[in-house]
Amino acid sequence: MTETKIRNMEEFAALSGISRPTLSKYFHDPESVRASTRARIEQALEVYDYRPNIFAMNQNRKLTKNVGIVVPYLADPFFAEIARNMEQRCFDAGFRPTLYSSHGQQHLENDILDSLRSLKPAGVLLAPLGRASDKNVIEKFCADVPTVLFDSNIEDIGEAFVGSDNFSFVSQTVEYLTRSGEPPCFFEMRTPANPNANKRRIAYLAMMEKLGFEPHVLKIDGEGWGFEEIGRQGALRILETNGFPTNTVLCSNDRLAIGLLSACYEKGLRVGRSEGSALRVASHDDHPFARFTCPSLTTAAHDYNSVSNCAFSTLSKLMEAGGRFSSRVETLFAARLVLRASA
Amino acid sequence: MTETKIRNMEEFAALSGISRPTLSKYFHDPESVRASTRARIEQALEVYDYRPNIFAMNQNRKLTKNVGIVVPYLADPFFAEIARNMEQRCFDAGFRPTLYSSHGQQHLENDILDSLRSLKPAGVLLAPLGRASDKNVIEKFCADVPTVLFDSNIEDIGEAFVGSDNFSFVSQTVEYLTRSGEPPCFFEMRTPANPNANKRRIAYLAMMEKLGFEPHVLKIDGEGWGFEEIGRQGALRILETNGFPTNTVLCSNDRLAIGLLSACYEKGLRVGRSEGSALRVASHDDHPFARFTCPSLTTAAHDYNSVSNCAFSTLSKLMEAGGRFSSRVETLFAARLVLRASA
DNA sequence: AATCTATTTTTACGCGCGAAAAATTTTTAT
DNA sequence: ATAAAAATTTTTCGCGCGTAAAAATAGATT
């Protein structure tokens, strides 16, 4: 590494003995130049430590190497974990990922998409807010920028969707719970933030009917993305009035279950599948904290890696295909049942 | 809003009847043009919906409006929450925040700083990994880019530090615990990830000495940022061998406490300040999940808002001051004791 | 109304790189 | 060895905006 500070590609071209346009090609895609030239460039690169100006590159290139990753609520470790995977995948593939969180608010989601647009991203991985999303805004965005939706589907918007097969989640939990004890009631928000919740309720109802049991859906009130607190308040209200209709509760998602478990603990209600427990609780998602709840939470787990890998590779294909698929692609991943102490 | 698509500032100048250099000034700082001109521009802006090309701007400006926010581990909702606050503050002040997480890994932290540098950011808010940080890399970065450190201090590096007064945290918890029951032992990692842990241990020892009690420090093994699991395993080992030396445990941080509580629950050990509890547990940070543990966690709370506000306003001053302070500024915030059920 | 000052306009150049076309070299195939 | 194909170099232009300097204009001052 010499001390020569290189100002631009012109200088680096002069010093390395390679023409500037060839260097430009190399930086755009190292594979696009002959192996021998590539070797010479990389050799020179070690000597001179030059890096192209990212703003000048992005200004002039029709397509940048930027990839936007947008999640609805980053304070949820579930999304943090998914985002981490996706970031890594983007980076490994030579893209520049940038992470955004809508923090549960429509105006932020809109702002993010707006500012993302001006970054001319090669592609975007977007987990919409869901119910709170401004569908028109998202649709317009997807029309302009190659976008793969994940986690929360919006019908016919975006070129592809990668998410979870909610029926697989619910059927496994319901099947297990009914087989090992009383059939569960279903614990959810009255106005859920995203469409997965609706699909899970429908799957619950279908499974219960199929198995010949009476379904019970408990809808609790609450707005926003503080699911734990909503679950807690909802459970407290139930425990202070009629109690749960069965001794087994299936929560729509783990964050609600975390709140519910804290309510049960406070009320002295023993939860678990062991002898002497008053209630069994199970849920869906395998939230990073599910193994640390008291008791640890039986849940249907996402395959975090598969979801993020698939979302990125779908986006990758989409970008290669010039931003359009002939038809919208939906990929759903099945759940893996994780048995812990709560049910 | 007309349908005319404007390609560049030149066109917008022609259509709005304002010269391009004046527009350039306006976009750099709206206050820098005469009020009447500003009004004309903003009026035209509503008609034509033009936005300057961000890459061209950043390429030519000496200083961009980019601000980097770097946290060590985004899957920790504590950092997610801090980052959310900071993002908002940046945005409100007309900057473009970009969020990065080192995910607990040195090479990622280095990569982030490296790629951040090429974004020519006006300033950076950096919470270093701590022990795992490559101090030389961070020092060099801070020499080039106006940087305010937060959460985790590194001596003499960066122009300023904003964090918490660990003594305030620990003195409050120790004082409360000793006043209301047995003096606590201190539960921490043998090789903590960041310097706050060391300061907390020292504060614990000082407080215990001052109050005339025998200190007990329990050091548990484990590497990485999965604190809950480390806390859990450490607690299980203790419970399976000698047990805790006192009936009161003070954890270095809430994430360890979450793991510890799950271990206690599994072992059937009743935790709380109520009658019939075998153990009291308290901690520090007021992690977003601390209110949902079983029992809910007594802890010393950060003032999230103050920390993020102060960090940003410090950075703001730093940027206005041209990137250098005459002397390094450290701002520490006191804790607020939050009494819940665990102690 | 004349003068002064702050602001805007005009003009011109530069930033660092992408991209296209034509000329040249190297590689591969025959 | 030679022709054809592929890769590279040269040349030239353009992107959208920042910025500097000089000229023109608006507003404020007396």
Side-chain angles (χ1 to χ4, degrees), chain A residues 30-296:
Chain A
E31 302 295 316
S32 68
V33 304
R34 202 188 298 150
S36 58
T37 324
R38 187 161 58 243
R40 284 171 58 208
I41 295 176
E42 279 160 3
Q43 189 180 324
L45 232 32
E46 284 179 11
V47 182
Y48 294 110
D49 181 43
Y50 159 76
R51 292 176 59 174
N53 180 305
I54 196 167
F55 299 115
M57 283 181 62
N58 285 337
Q59 175 181 19
N60 296 310
R61 259 216 272 273
K62 306 215 185 305
L63 221 52
T64 69
K65 288 279 186 180
N66 299 331
V67 168
I69 301 174
V70 186
V71 300
Y73 193 75
L74 202 46
D76 182 344
F78 168 76
F79 286 114
E81 185 59 24
I82 291 272
R84 188 181 67 75
N85 273 286
M86 290 181 169
E87 263 189 343
Q88 192 59 52
R89 291 275 295 160
C90 290
F91 199 80
D92 291 346
F95 290 91
R96 289 183 59 95
T98 309
L99 179 58
Y100 300 87
S101 166
S102 307
H103 302 304
Q105 301 178 320
Q106 185 184 76
H107 75 98
L108 286 181
E109 184 169 87
N110 293 348
D111 288 351
I112 287 166
L113 296 184
D114 197 39
S115 93
L116 209 39
R117 198 193 299 265
S118 68
L119 286 181
K120 294 195 290 189
V124 168
L125 294 163
L126 169 63
L129 288 172
R131 195 169 52 87
S133 288
D134 185 331
K135 293 188 180 46
N136 290 324
V137 170
I138 294 186
E139 186 162 22
K140 274 183 196 152
F141 180 80
C142 292
D144 297 345
V145 181
T147 303
V148 171
L149 299 190
F150 68 96
D151 183 66
S152 178
N153 200 357
I154 302 183
E155 262 186 46
D156 299 329
I157 294 185
E159 297 296 309
F161 171 73
V162 177
S164 44
D165 176 356
N166 288 293
F167 187 81
S168 154
F169 278 65
V170 176
S171 63
Q172 289 189 60
T173 50
V174 170
E175 195 277 333
Y176 164 72
L177 292 172
T178 53
R179 179 161 49 82
S180 55
E182 272 187 32
C185 60
F186 192 75
F187 184 81
E188 67 165 356
M189 288 170 67
R190 184 177 308 284
T191 50
N194 81 35
N196 293 321
N198 297 322
K199 294 193 178 131
R200 288 176 183 178
R201 181 189 342 99
I202 291 168
Y204 164 77
L205 294 171
M207 277 301 290
M208 291 294 275
E209 182 173 19
K210 176 183 160 196
L211 297 172
F213 297 115
E214 178 85 11
H216 293 276
V217 176
L218 303 173
K219 291 177 178 292
I220 60 174
D221 293 314
E223 282 295 321
W225 286 72
F227 299 166
E228 294 86 1
E229 185 61 28
I230 291 171
R232 176 181 157 80
Q233 295 299 339
L236 283 175
R237 197 154 307 142
I238 290 170
L239 292 173
E240 283 162 0
T241 54
N242 306 322
F244 288 98
T246 68
N247 78 1
T248 303
V249 182
L250 177 59
C251 297
S252 182
N253 65 67
D254 284 356
R255 295 182 59 201
L256 284 175
I258 288 169
L260 184 147
L261 289 176
S262 96
C264 291
Y265 186 91
E266 184 175 324
K267 289 293 174 187
L269 203 67
R270 179 123 172 246
V271 174
R273 53 174 151 163
S274 57
E275 291 290 317
S277 293
L279 199 66
R280 297 191 304 161
V281 174
S283 182
H284 309 101
D285 287 341
D286 197 25
H287 189 283
F289 282 40
R291 56 190 315 126
F292 303 109
T293 55
C294 300
S296 60

